[in-house]
Amino acid sequence: MRKVQIGLVVALATSGARAQDRMPDIPPAQQTEAQRKASEEFLAARKVPVFGPFVPLLRSPHLMLNASNMGLYLRYNSVIPLKLSEFTILLTAREWSQQLEWHIHAPIALKAGLDPAIVEAVREGRRPDAMGEEETLVYAFSTELHRTKAVSDTTYGRVVAKFGEQGAIDLAGINGYYTLLAMTLNMARTALPDGAKPPLPDLIR
């Protein structure tokens, strides 16, 4: 009985630790000069203060700014259309069970025109039933990269035929960039906004 009680205490303590944000917002008065400068440059480029994954990344100011610049390209200037880019981000968030990444990007994906049924299937960890040609390509490419750490000749050829070699690079870049953010958020245990419930259910694999 005592072993059971000890195990329960350990489990509860571990659960509490996981819920704690390790790297919350740094108040401006506590920021280093490099952090303040990076925060100002971020605000000038994005017109919003440091938020989401950039909060923990601010601990490394130059990395944060470079990550932000890459994100701006991949979100708004890549050859992959926004709807497909957001689809890729959701696939990455689901692979990493990254709640905040999903919380931020699921509404953007829906606004960009991604079918709600596709969003729900990914959220539940299922392959969406009704995908168009482009969604099917993005799903295959992204899923292969995440799960097999490679892309088959067939999938690669189809993606290049549809989006060009730049498209293949940009699509790999989106997967890689949002993996970086997901890893950072998971490591830092970055919290959801107050009142928000975790949108992603646990997956059994």
Side-chain angles (χ1 to χ4, degrees), residues 86-97:
E86 292 298 327
F87 183 30
T88 306
I89 296 167
L90 295 188
L91 290 169
T92 303
R94 179 66 275 187
E95 283 294 320
W96 286 87
S97 293

Side-chain angles (χ1 to χ4, degrees), residues 50-165:
V50 173
F51 68 93
F54 303 103
V55 171
L57 282 171
L58 184 58
R59 272 71 181 181
S60 182
H62 294 296
L63 175 58
M64 188 271 282
L65 285 176
N66 281 295
S68 176
N69 289 335
M70 179 177 283
L72 288 172
Y73 168 75
L74 291 171
R75 283 288 306 285
Y76 304 113
N77 295 299
S78 86
V79 298
I80 304 300
L82 181 61
K83 180 178 74 171
L84 300 179
S85 175
E86 292 298 327
F87 183 30
T88 306
I89 296 167
L90 295 188
L91 290 169
T92 303
R94 179 66 275 187
E95 283 294 320
W96 286 87
S97 293
Q98 208 335 281
Q99 303 286 359
L100 182 59
E101 198 164 64
W102 184 278
H103 174 82
I104 292 171
H105 286 278
I108 300 173
L110 292 169
K111 186 176 180 180
L114 191 62
D115 188 336
I118 292 177
V119 175
E120 181 60 16
V122 174
R123 190 186 75 85
E124 294 177 353
R126 298 184 288 106
R127 185 186 190 280
D129 294 324
M131 293 187 288
E133 177 191 3
E134 293 183 339
E135 287 95 349
T136 300
L137 285 175
V138 167
Y139 182 89
F141 186 97
S142 301
T143 302
E144 288 176 25
L145 264 184
H146 285 294
R147 299 182 185 176
T148 73
K149 317 307 177 190
V151 175
S152 67
D153 288 342
T154 298
T155 300
Y156 173 80
R158 289 175 178 171
V159 166
V160 170
K162 188 69 179 178
F163 302 112
E165 288 186 339

Side-chain angles (χ1 to χ4, degrees), residues 11 15 17 28 36 42 47 117 119 124 137 140 148 154 174 181-182:
S15 175
R36 285 194 296 273
F42 184 96
K47 312 305 179 188
V119 175
E124 294 177 353
L137 285 175
T148 73
T154 298
I174 296 166
L181 299 190

